[in-house]
Amino acid sequence: MTTTVPKIYSFPEFGSVAEAVADHIIAAQNHALFGDSDKKQDRSNSTGSAMTTNTTASSSNSASTTNIAGTPSNPANSSKKKKKEVVKRFKIGLSGGSLIQVLHEGLLKRDDVLWDRWDVYFADERLVPFESTESNYGKIKRKLFDQIPEGKGKPKVFPIDESLINDPQECADNYEKCLIRGFANKDSVKKPMFDLVLLGCAPDGHIASLFPNQPTLRENFAWVVPVEDAPVGPAKRITLTIPVICHAHRVTFVVEGQTKAPVIKTIMERPDKGLPSSIVNEGAAGRVSWFVDDDALHDVFVTKKRYKFLVDPPQK
Ligand SMILES: O=C1O[C@H](COP(=O)(O)O)[C@@H](O)[C@H](O)[C@H]1O
């Protein structure tokens, strides 16, 4: 294991982490939708488009891009051929846990989130009913998607199939199929390529539902795997695998609080210990960022970077 150093942005407290994370997500959104300029935006596509949006449970939704009839490129053959324009979508993988409050605080007050161009997948899910407070989808739906102001559009959300929560293997296979449908049009289907995967990191070092020293960490083939015996929280889960996480355009960790400081110290200073985050720091080298508050960096020796906002954060 080499000592690959990710970008580490640090902030004095939770509120500034939330604002910076929201800004970072919007930069990734703009890059995915509009290309090389993170700042360029086309608000005309932000609302009222012809695309279906859906925040209800449906793992059978299929489109990763939406083909619409566009202006013909050559008027001479306009009657024969209509050029198909591919409307780009922002594909994001979300975790649960403390990240959800960060998204709630940071994203809901921004007016440059193009919600109806988002395809939302889950980095992991606990196999409990959606109404449970332990459900990542259920919690994100209640805390974020249900609170998007009227008229701002709705993302297309891809939760697990709730009817499969008693069968982790079946549920994982089913979610993998959901990813195949969602990414097949865009990628070579060897692996899905998310525009952004957002991860937390628990005090025991687990990320998504990848726990330290579990065989799931070594999965090289499947995109999604079952977890039968998670040592904390709900035992049964599904999770994206390390190769899928590391294949994303950007992988971003969001961590706050002093209880996380010891694990962050190990991740940053002892990558040889092979904690899941250290594996990702290495496997997605150059594309990994950490947004961390000062408490979580207590006694951690790393080089911190200053985050540059797309737009200025609100004045306090
Ligand atoms: O169990 C889980 O925990 C991790 C970390 O949660 P945090 O509250 O310590 O940030 C979370 O990212 C994951 O989605 C969740 O299922």
Side-chain angles (χ1 to χ4, degrees):
M1 171 95 46
T2 62
T3 47
T4 311
V5 183
K7 288 187 219 69
I8 299 170
Y9 300 107
S10 74
F11 305 87
E13 34 74 43
F14 175 84
S16 0
V17 175
E19 275 159 14
V21 169
D23 195 79
H24 173 76
I25 295 170
I26 291 161
Q29 164 204 273
N30 293 349
H31 191 266
L33 299 180
F34 310 119
D36 46 11
S37 168
D38 284 2
K39 296 193 169 103
K40 202 167 131 201
Q41 289 184 38
D42 177 4
R43 298 279 178 83
S44 64
N45 275 322
S46 68
T47 53
S49 78
M51 287 175 287
T52 316
T53 60
N54 175 19
T55 54
T56 57
S58 164
S59 57
S60 61
N61 284 330
S62 61
S64 65
T65 55
T66 305
N67 293 328
I68 58 170
T71 314
S73 55
N74 177 1
N77 59 13
S78 62
S79 57
K80 289 185 193 151
K81 272 192 205 163
K82 294 226 177 197
K83 188 177 175 234
K84 278 188 178 170
E85 190 184 316
V86 175
V87 176
K88 289 186 183 160
R89 311 272 306 157
F90 175 50
K91 294 181 169 302
I92 184 167
L94 295 182
S95 297
S98 56
L99 176 72
I100 299 172
Q101 187 60 25
V102 173
L103 301 179
H104 171 94
E105 293 270 326
L107 281 177
L108 290 175
K109 59 185 173 212
R110 292 284 297 242
D111 63 6
D112 45 358
V113 183
L114 304 180
W115 290 109
D116 59 6
R117 297 194 56 187
W118 284 35
D119 286 345
V120 177
Y121 295 86
F122 291 84
D124 73 312
E125 185 54 283
R126 291 109 167 259
L127 301 192
V128 294
F130 290 159
E131 65 183 12
S132 161
T133 53
E134 301 274 23
S135 161
N136 287 342
Y137 165 71
K139 202 164 158 196
I140 295 179
K141 179 178 184 301
R142 290 184 290 272
K143 270 279 193 195
L144 187 63
F145 302 139
D146 288 354
Q147 301 200 26
I148 298 169
E150 197 68 24
K152 297 254 179 185
K154 292 279 181 192
K156 195 182 268 187
V157 184
F158 298 85
I160 58 161
D161 182 339
E162 194 184 17
S163 71
L164 300 176
I165 58 175
N166 293 319
D167 188 340
Q169 183 68 63
E170 185 69 23
C171 191
D173 292 348
N174 183 272
Y175 204 62
E176 185 167 296
K177 284 186 195 132
C178 171
L179 291 181
I180 291 170
R181 283 193 299 272
F183 286 82
N185 296 341
K186 192 176 165 202
D187 299 326
S188 64
V189 200
K190 280 189 186 145
K191 277 184 216 106
M193 189 180 266
F194 285 97
D195 296 305
L196 174 65
V197 173
L198 287 174
L199 298 166
C201 180
D204 68 351
H206 81 265
I207 62 170
S209 284
L210 294 162
F211 289 83
N213 304 318
Q214 285 204 353
T216 46
L217 284 182
R218 293 189 294 277
E219 176 62 49
N220 251 330
F221 180 70
W223 294 3
V224 185
V225 287
V227 176
E228 301 273 0
D229 49 359
V232 293
K236 293 188 194 320
R237 299 153 177 250
I238 61 152
T239 184
L240 297 185
T241 54
I242 292 279
V244 170
I245 291 172
C246 289
H247 198 57
H249 283 290
R250 305 183 196 211
V251 184
T252 299
F253 289 93
V254 182
V255 185
E256 334 81 36
Q258 204 165 352
T259 55
K260 308 274 177 85
V263 77
I264 301 297
K265 190 170 174 66
T266 308
I267 292 161
M268 300 301 171
E269 297 180 14
R270 297 294 311 272
D272 54 300
K273 296 261 182 196
L275 284 177
S277 304
S278 301
I279 299 173
V280 173
N281 279 346
E282 175 76 13
R287 287 170 285 121
V288 184
S289 307
W290 287 74
F291 288 73
V292 191
D293 71 357
D294 289 341
D295 285 347
L297 283 178
H298 178 75
D299 196 33
V300 182
F301 292 93
V302 282
T303 306
K304 301 170 193 169
K305 281 180 84 77
R306 201 181 140 89
Y307 182 75
K308 268 179 74 185
F309 279 81
L310 267 184
V311 298
D312 291 334
Q315 295 302 311
K316 299 244 161 54

